[in-house]
Amino acid sequence: MTAGTVTLASIERELEDIERDAVVRAAEAADAAALEAVRVGVLGKKGSLTKVLRGLAGLDGGERPQAGQVANRVKKAVDEALAVRREAIGTARLAARLGGPQVDVTLPASGQPTGHVHPLSVVMDELCGIFLSLGFSIAEGPEVEDDFHNFEALNIPADHPARDMQDTFFIEGGRLLRTHTSPVQVRTMKGTEPPLMIVAPGAVYRHDDDVTHSPMFHQIEGLMVGRGVTFRNLKAVLTEFLARIFGPDLAVKFRPSYFPFTEPSAEVDIGCVMCRGTGSGDAGADAGRCKVCKGTGWLEILGCGMVHPKVFADVGYDPEVYTGFAFGIGVERIAMLKLRIDDIRLFYGHDMRFLAQF
Amino acid sequence: MRVPYSWLGEFVENLPAPDVVAERLTMSGLEVESIERPPEMPAELLVVARIEEKRPHPNADRLSLCTVFDGEMIREIVCGAQNMEAGDHVVLAKPGARMAGGMTIKKSKIRGAVSEGMLCSSAEIGAWGDSPGIIILAESAEPGAAAYDVLGLDDCVFELGITPNRGDCLSIRGVAREVAAVCRLSTSPMLMPSLGSPGATPVRVSELESKGDSPFEVEVEERDGCLAYRGIVVDGLRIGSSPDWMQRRLAACGLRPINNIVDVTNYVLFELGQPLHAFDTALLAGNRISARSAGALREFITLDDETRELEPSDIVICDGSGPVALGGVMGGASTAVSDSTTSIFLEAALFDSARIRSTARRLGLLSDSSYRFERGVDSAMTETALLRAAALIAKTGGGVIRGGVARAGELPVHGPVVRLRPERIERVLGSPVPTGDALAALCRLGIKAGETGGAIEARVPTHRPDIEAEIDLIEEVARIHGYEKFTPEMPVFSMHAAETPPVRSFAQRLRSELAAIGLSEIVALSFCSAEMNRACPGLHTAEARALKLRNPLRADEGEMRKSLLPGLLDALRTNCRNGVRTVDLFCSGRTMAADHGSAEAVEPVEIDALAALICGPRRGREPGLVGEASFADLKAVLSRVARSAGIREGFELVPTDKRPELHPRAAADIRFSGESVGSVGQLHPLLAETLELNQHTYVFEIDSRKLVAYAPRHPGLKQVARFPSSARDVSFLASEELLAGDIVATIDGLQEPLVEMVEIFDDYRGRGVEAGNKALGITVVYRSGKGTLTEEEVSAVHARVVAAVTRRLNISVRG
């Protein structure tokens, strides 16, 4: 056999050499580029295997199928070697990319930490939201009031003992700080024709300062006036309101009371939210009585009543045509019960250790 | 008001148990705030004992040894008191008894002598009286009997919260009437209390009537202030202490027993609600008493020896020489009953509520008497009380009533007649009350009512001056019928949109936005000191004066705040003291001042303000806090506020050195559409120093209402650019005084159509830049809506822009 002579045996030998060589080089390829070079060197247009395949034309017809079979087997083996190596290189490369340092996920967030909305605002918004959902609009009025709107128009004339119910701050020059949000009732009625339903949230002031009284605190006044508004309606609206605040199975009772601008008037008591109306507290402390309701099982929660005909007459509503109800809610009181706060002064003490809890 | 349960029992038969009475009263509007119950101690531990023998303690001069019989056995007791003798009946605490002070009695040896209990003083068992010795009981007290029963300490006392409309319940008799009504007990005929000790045979009013002319003449000159005046004389009195049962009752009501005359007037006041006053007859000039206005009288010495200044409208009671009492409020010192008094002139009058109130308020004299007159006294009881008190005084003081009652003025016998329409009851309450039930309810309250022409006609009795109109009767019917009978029913209303004032929804939105970027909300009291109001004038005009409180709680809370800043600064100080390093706060609320008018006619202006404060190191990208708060940090907060108000383009900040609370070189007026809406800046160093605060404190305060008023509408969609932009940077060298914003404004002012955006990216001072100067780096972004700009086009317009800026602002480009 001379060089250049194409025989079946020589082709088979050559193919086996190619295979051996390609498999070794593929396994040694360091990266994707090197591996691609191996592929091109064997399987590319000018690759060694391609060249051999072109040479098959020189064989005689009988030998060609056999040589072809060998060539196909070799090509398959080379492809396989390349694939194995390609995957290995890929895996190694990914491993290298994922091998960096562990991120310390426990380090703090960047930027300022979140602040806090004041608990009184949270509760105030919740209460107003309930009334809005019931169809009440929100009204506002001045905090520096005159005697007429704060007292006279609410059936509390000068030298009436009902003024003792509200210790007043007076401003030099004749004004005063409103002692309740009720003047907003008067202002709203004077500017609007019935029917109307409003709530008036805001700051009010009383000359008082201790664990349960702050000289400034917040109220929500409510007023509904129209034809055929009744005491039963008042009970329904307030019962619904209280159930939404304190839960659906709340015990509620209406107890006769006195406010000069409503008649009949009522105080509303709810089953104590702490002891669930049982009146009993931790054994041992306070003789086993609940500290929040002092063992009574009930908590005074708000005052209300049917708008007094004199108040209607003063704002020009005909008391024979219209009836209405009004109520006043202490926001701090509700916030203290809901959030288990036992000293009203915490609201106004600005202590972040308190504020950050809300 | 304190109401002993046993006393009620004298007016109402078959009184239910205390808890039942309390519950019924509370549920009908007379709130029982608490029930004071007898001490919880087994009755057999505190008993009556008889002293069989008393002898000195062998080892102690001040102690004595008593042999006592406790009803069952003989005991040896060591006693420190000396006021007892053999044969006395005393109170014995046996071993195991807990005393009022909390001490428990034990069998013990005192100085070598065995003691099997303790003989008690009043204080030791929580009884009335302040005698230091042990209690000596009447001989009728049987040894072995429970001492609480004997002393009347087994009673419950109700503490009632009486609303101002129910003056009729400021007496035991009035409360008893209410109890009878709400407990459905029989009230008629209402018994008068007995003259003697409780339990004795009752005496009717008619039996008290005295005969003959009074030695005194009385007259009423001021009918508007004093409707009626009655007086009676009791002679031959000996001043001493009042009977035990009376003292016990008074003590239970919270009164200190004084003597047999004063105690009786107090007793009858509590019992029947009619204030009474006793004058010493010997100290009265002449025998003519008149009730009149003070008029020209200038002052009067009340029985507490205080000189009171009078107003012409005060009601005074005068004798022949001048005023002897401040009508309905307090008696005078010159005619007061003393230990040497033997004869009294007893007064029962009916004064006008408003007049009494105005005098009592002005003088700060809130007596049991003025308190009742203010709330209305029952004219039906005026003479009855006078006669009853006279009889009781005569009996307890060993005297006699001399002559009859001196009278001036008519006592009203009934109130108005008020009509009540049954349909009106339904209209107000929501469901009908059968007329029969309504009549029964009124009747139980002592209101005579009948049906005429389909309506109820009620004759209001004198004890209910609060009932004037139909609605008052509806309330009475409702509460006696029971509020619980009116079941809840949701109102039916036409549909409508519920509204929230824009300022309120803005504040609400803002709160969550500001909290989200790290600020915490505080709520501050609206009071302020004059100093802080001067230091922080807030958003009010320069002429605005602070509103001053006439009756502040504290000297440093004498004014209403003109600004929210004092509250924020106070909060900052509190938290710094607590060791908080970064304090970022905001606050929304009203500020107020008098913007116009004179000092007499204050026209208050209230502003819905919003303020924020930042102080302390910031948190950056690395863990830990670094640096201090800066103007830029607060400006970021301000942008958030603008954004919340719907203001896209942000505020315009114009430097100002006019704010007293702010650093003159680090403060700005906040403007929107040319109008000032507030100010922002660094806290003035002097203020920071005075308040001992960090110098790097930045604050702003804005007027929420002004912001919300703009209610900006969406400006309309701008075409989204289709062609690429091209950016050019340039650095200008300028004096430190030049504002970066001026460069931006200058470029904006050129109205070059290709300029899309101008941004400041650098403010450099230091090496390479002369002192007093700074280098400002600006990026200008160019874009055309018609096509991609060529390099030449961009260069040409950029050159024009830079040239214009250097020329107009007289600055140069940094090479």
Side-chain angles (χ1 to χ4, degrees), chain B residues 2-147:
Chain B
R2 291 172 61 85
V3 175
Y5 175 76
S6 67
W7 205 345
L8 288 175
E10 281 184 43
F11 291 90
V12 194
E13 287 172 336
N14 305 320
L15 200 59
D19 286 327
V20 177
V21 171
E23 166 72 11
R24 295 271 166 82
L25 281 179
T26 296
M27 287 313 292
S28 69
L30 230 59
E31 190 182 357
V32 177
E33 289 169 347
S34 64
I35 307 178
E36 210 171 274
R37 294 168 198 278
E40 284 173 22
M41 197 203 310
E44 69 273 13
L45 291 179
L46 199 70
V47 298
V48 176
R50 185 174 62 231
I51 300 176
E52 304 294 339
E53 193 193 340
K54 178 189 171 195
R55 54 191 191 282
H57 190 290
N59 306 325
D61 294 346
R62 287 160 179 252
L63 298 178
S64 37
L65 293 180
C66 294
T67 304
V68 304
F69 174 61
D70 68 3
E72 286 175 355
M73 58 185 278
I74 297 288
R75 288 172 186 267
E76 292 297 323
I77 309 287
V78 176
C79 186
Q82 297 294 348
N83 65 322
M84 66 291 188
E85 296 301 332
D88 281 348
H89 289 218
V90 295
V91 177
L92 168 72
K94 294 185 192 171
R98 262 175 78 88
M99 298 292 96
M103 177 183 68
T104 302
I105 302 299
K106 287 189 205 101
K107 184 173 171 177
S108 59
K109 253 188 183 170
I110 300 171
R111 295 267 192 131
V114 172
S115 186
E116 301 169 277
M118 186 176 82
L119 303 185
C120 305
S121 69
S122 306
E124 282 160 347
I125 57 169
W128 89 102
D130 40 18
S131 155
I134 63 166
I135 300 170
I136 310 293
L137 299 166
E139 290 201 3
S140 56
E142 281 293 316

Side-chain angles (χ1 to χ4, degrees), chain A residues 115 135 144 170 205 207 233 263, chain B residues 472 489 496 515 526 550-551 606:
Chain A
V144 178
F170 296 99
Y205 303 85
H207 208 270
N233 295 159
E263 190 161 18
Chain B
D472 302 317
E489 179 187 49
H496 60 278
S526 316
R550 237 164 58 194
N551 54 339
E606 295 182 27

